[in-house]
Amino acid sequence: MASNATYVIGHKNPDADSICAAIAYAAYKEARGLYGYVPARAGNSNARIDAILERFHQPLPVLLTDVTPRVRDVMVTNVVTVPQEATCAEALELIDEHDVRVLPVLTSDQRVVGTISIFQLGGFFVPKVRALREMRKVNTSLNHIVRALRARVEHLPDPAREQDLFVRVGAMDVKSFGKAAHSDGILPEQSIIIVGDRRDIQLRSIEMAVRLLVITGNLPVDEEIIRLARAKGVALIVSPYDTATSAWLVRSATKLDRLIDRKFASVSPDLRLSDVRKKIANNNTPAFMVLGDDGRLQGILTRTDILKPSRTRLILVDHNEMTQAVNGADEVAITEIIDHHRLGSLATQQPILFINDPVGSTCTIIAELFRRDGLAPSPDIAGVLMGGIISDTLNLQGPTTTEKDATLLAWLSRLAGVDPRQLADLIFSSGSVILANPPERVVRSDFKIYDEDGVRFAVSQVEELGFGNFWSHSKALARALDDLCTQESLCFACLLVTDINTQNSLLLIKGDPEVAKRITYPGVEADEIFDLPGIVSRKKQLIPYIGTLLKELAHDGIAPVARRAATGSPFKVGAQSG
């Protein structure tokens, strides 16, 4: 998903009105000079939608099946990292320059070997009076020391060899210096001597054949000292810093390898942020490494990142209930709602534009917005709006049709140059949903979930030219509807099959038998298929009727029982590495 886009999206299992409204409302925004609005869909298309879009040269909106905020949405992608072979000095420089607390340590092929933090580095450099020898120890090479000091090299034998070395400052009398050199058990070839212009200490260090002699303050070095150092194989460099600073910087040349925390925490970029919050509740890790399937670093996630608001923005069209919205809609910013259905239980964090008008189609509302603002949609967008109105009102013959639908359809017809009757013929003859899809997809066609006082149920609707196709597949559709109850944890599920020619419907119902027993329409097959003459609208006719049945059941103390779907998390939390 684009981070700067606002998606105009209809309900799950979209119908023509839902898809057409998304396309047209994005076009309306653009007509007003507002950009970044992208039409989207929360499910698959069907033959009627495809016929409308093909007729008016519109691509299918982008598919969004889940907008749940995930790690990839908030993680830092321009991560400051440090290579595995780096020194403490290099790590500290990166931490200071970029003001970060944790650095991922990477191999040459971008795989994480661990992390290094300002706290670990601080612990390394804090004096430890009970481990004086360790305070002077540095595991590094002469090349790294030269780099840390920005030193001038006079002689540097075997510069790449890494070894344990021990730092000593030559600040004492030469006699004391010699005694101290023998008393601490550190071999000359392990010694780094840091000294100013003390010629006697310089000569004594060369005589002892120490590994490295560092002369500080950018002082000139006597040619004899350089000659003797070369003859004895003693490395000799000149630091631009004073003795105290040079001693600290030499220690910072320690390789990171022994300080790396190899038990780092990692997560997948696809992990839901809600799951990450649970993970960090019992974890003191300051940052999580975000690793791709190939184990390479994709980003870093800190506790601060998890608190960032989601950047995904939605405009809901043709619905306003969370049970019908794209997955994750309740966790992102909903900025507008344009709808013509009943009000559901939806809460937003901020005040939003909410247009709800009891007309026959959401496309009618959008057409009215164009006309209100003195804007004329293009012929193709006018045609798309016509398709939504004709489909949702059954070409102005359905019970939800209003005068406004008819008026705006006529206005759009003039703009598009299209006869509504011809477009209706194209839409309604574009193919049978029942013949074109397997039963499990038919029952999810134009499928909406409702929640009435704790009773969760679903109603799907398909429109056919006659009932012949339904009767040929009724047994398979009944089984698919029964499976739907289990998959979605429903008390019951209905499939409303509407004959466009006769304006009558059949109702197939599965689930808790107590609901079917209360249906007062004629039964065609016992407690499963009912004849609903004159019923063609789910919104205006069927849903209110079902609501009445549920109130009767509640009055009699009967509560429909929901099926229980198998549970299990589809997400894997990144394992601890190291």
Side-chain angles (χ1 to χ4, degrees):
M1 293 187 295
S3 60
N4 59 344
T6 298
Y7 292 96
V8 186
I9 189 167
H11 50 76
K12 295 176 184 174
N13 310 293
D15 58 5
D17 189 36
S18 177
I19 296 289
C20 293
I23 294 171
Y25 197 62
Y28 166 72
K29 289 289 190 181
E30 185 172 336
R32 293 183 59 204
L34 304 172
Y35 299 94
Y37 293 86
V38 179
R41 57 191 169 97
N44 294 321
S45 182
N46 59 45
R48 289 178 184 165
I49 294 171
D50 293 341
I52 296 170
L53 300 190
E54 182 179 352
R55 170 65 180 80
F56 297 109
H57 317 102
Q58 298 299 308
L60 197 61
V62 62
L63 177 64
L64 294 181
T65 57
D66 194 336
V67 295
T68 303
R70 299 182 185 275
V71 167
R72 63 172 174 265
D73 299 323
V74 298
M75 69 183 185
V76 175
T77 54
N78 55 334
V79 184
V80 181
T81 64
V82 64
Q84 187 175 6
E85 59 276 6
T87 64
C88 293
E90 291 164 332
L92 284 167
E93 188 172 351
L94 287 170
I95 287 171
D96 180 58
E97 179 183 352
H98 298 281
D99 192 25
V100 295
R101 292 182 297 170
V102 179
L103 293 173
V105 183
L106 305 185
T107 61
S108 58
D109 63 350
Q110 298 297 297
R111 297 183 189 276
V112 182
V113 295
T115 60
I116 191 77
S117 72
I118 185 65
F119 306 108
Q120 290 166 272
L121 291 166
F124 174 70
F125 287 108
V126 168
K128 302 175 181 63
V129 294
R130 296 185 180 181
L132 297 177
R133 183 185 173 98
E134 288 300 310
M135 286 172 55
R136 295 162 52 196
K137 183 177 177 181
V138 52
N139 176 260
T140 191
S141 68
L142 299 188
N143 276 338
H144 286 128
I145 293 175
V146 169
R147 203 157 70 229
L149 288 172
R150 296 179 172 85
R152 182 177 83 247
V153 175
E154 298 292 351
H155 183 54
L156 206 66
D158 198 7
R161 173 161 56 97
E162 294 178 3
Q163 64 184 116
D164 286 341
L165 298 170
F166 295 86
V167 179
R168 172 180 295 136
V169 174
M172 61 191 73
D173 182 83
V174 69
K175 294 180 182 178
S176 303
F177 175 77
K179 292 178 183 177
H182 292 291
S183 65
D184 58 10
I186 296 173
L187 299 175
E189 57 265 29
Q190 293 179 292
S191 297
I192 300 173
I193 305 301
I194 301 176
V195 66
D197 55 359
R198 296 281 302 273
R199 179 181 173 85
D200 53 350
I201 298 295
Q202 295 173 7
L203 289 171
R204 180 65 177 134
S205 298
I206 294 171
E207 181 185 334
M208 293 166 55
V210 299
R211 178 70 173 112
L212 173 64
L213 177 60
V214 180
I215 297 177
T216 61
N218 211 20
L219 295 168
V221 185
D222 191 286
E223 287 295 329
E224 183 184 4
I225 295 294
I226 297 174
R227 181 181 60 77
L228 290 172
R230 288 174 176 167
K232 291 284 285 187
V234 174
L236 175 61
I237 62 176
V238 180
S239 168
Y241 305 106
D242 60 56
T243 299
T245 303
S246 297
W248 191 92
L249 287 173
V250 166
R251 193 146 184 264
S252 76
T254 297
K255 290 288 294 297
L256 287 178
D257 197 58
R258 299 186 184 184
L259 301 179
I260 295 172
D261 181 1
R262 299 178 189 273
K263 294 182 179 180
F264 63 91
S266 65
V267 294
S268 163
D270 295 323
L271 189 65
R272 296 180 299 188
L273 285 183
S274 56
D275 291 335
V276 176
R277 293 185 186 104
K278 295 174 187 175
K279 181 179 176 71
I280 68 171
N282 300 311
N283 192 318
N284 293 322
T285 303
F288 291 85
M289 303 300 107
V290 184
L291 306 182
D293 293 337
D294 59 0
R296 290 182 170 86
L297 184 71
Q298 291 193 0
I300 190 169
L301 184 76
T302 67
R303 291 175 179 269
T304 303
D305 296 326
I306 296 170
L307 299 177
K308 292 177 182 175
S310 172
R311 292 176 291 184
T312 301
R313 298 181 301 276
L314 301 180
I315 294 176
L316 305 186
V317 294
D318 200 35
H319 70 299
N320 69 81
E321 299 190 53
M322 277 296 108
T323 54
Q324 300 167 16
V326 62
N327 292 338
D330 57 336
E331 298 182 50
V332 302
I334 296 172
T335 61
E336 298 180 37
I337 299 174
I338 314 296
D339 192 23
H340 68 126
H341 295 94
R342 70 173 193 171
L343 298 182
S345 54
L346 183 147
T348 60
Q349 295 180 348
Q350 300 292 334
I352 67 169
L353 174 66
F354 193 145
I355 301 176
N356 189 270
D357 193 352
V359 292
S361 165
T362 302
C363 284
T364 298
I365 302 172
I366 297 169
E368 186 176 40
L369 291 174
F370 270 104
R371 195 168 69 162
R372 181 198 69 184
D373 292 349
L375 300 170
S378 68
D380 281 342
I381 293 300
V384 166
L385 285 165
M386 289 178 67
I389 295 172
I390 289 170
S391 177
D392 235 30
T393 65
L394 300 178
N395 196 20
L396 305 180
Q397 300 303 306
T400 63
T401 304
T402 66
E403 184 178 343
K404 189 182 292 185
D405 297 304
T407 300
L408 287 164
L409 181 61
W411 179 66
L412 293 167
S413 175
R414 292 192 294 273
L415 293 173
V418 174
D419 185 335
R421 288 171 298 182
Q422 292 178 353
L423 183 56
D425 289 342
L426 172 69
I427 293 170
F428 295 127
S429 64
S430 59
S432 165
V433 174
I434 292 175
L435 292 182
N437 297 279
E440 57 272 16
R441 281 197 61 182
V442 174
V443 299
R444 287 184 178 271
S445 177
D446 195 5
F447 154 78
K448 295 183 179 180
I449 293 177
Y450 301 87
D451 196 319
E452 293 275 1
D453 297 325
V455 177
R456 181 178 166 87
F457 66 97
V459 179
S460 308
Q461 184 172 16
V462 296
E463 294 159 351
E464 295 281 324
L465 296 174
F467 293 124
N469 294 330
F470 169 74
W471 287 117
S472 299
H473 298 81
S474 61
K475 298 300 181 186
L477 290 169
R479 288 191 295 271
L481 200 62
D482 194 59
D483 290 341
L484 183 67
C485 289
T486 302
Q487 294 162 5
E488 298 289 347
S489 300
L490 304 172
C491 296
F492 62 95
C494 304
L495 174 63
L496 185 67
V497 183
T498 299
D499 179 0
I500 298 169
N501 290 329
T502 65
Q503 298 286 290
N504 296 319
S505 297
L506 293 173
L507 181 70
L508 173 63
I509 182 168
K510 299 294 289 186
D512 192 308
E514 292 295 333
V515 180
K517 290 177 183 177
R518 296 294 176 118
I519 294 176
T520 55
Y521 285 95
V524 182
E525 289 191 5
D527 294 336
E528 187 167 286
I529 301 176
F530 297 86
D531 183 19
L532 277 58
I535 300 296
V536 294
S537 171
R538 170 176 51 192
K539 174 185 70 173
K540 197 166 185 177
Q541 296 173 302
L542 184 58
I543 294 302
Y545 177 70
I546 290 175
T548 301
L549 298 182
L550 295 178
K551 285 182 172 62
E552 291 177 1
L553 287 169
H555 182 267
D556 294 342
I558 299 172
V561 179
R563 302 274 183 87
R564 293 300 171 197
T567 58
S569 173
F571 300 97
K572 287 181 70 177
V573 177
Q576 293 269 330
S577 302

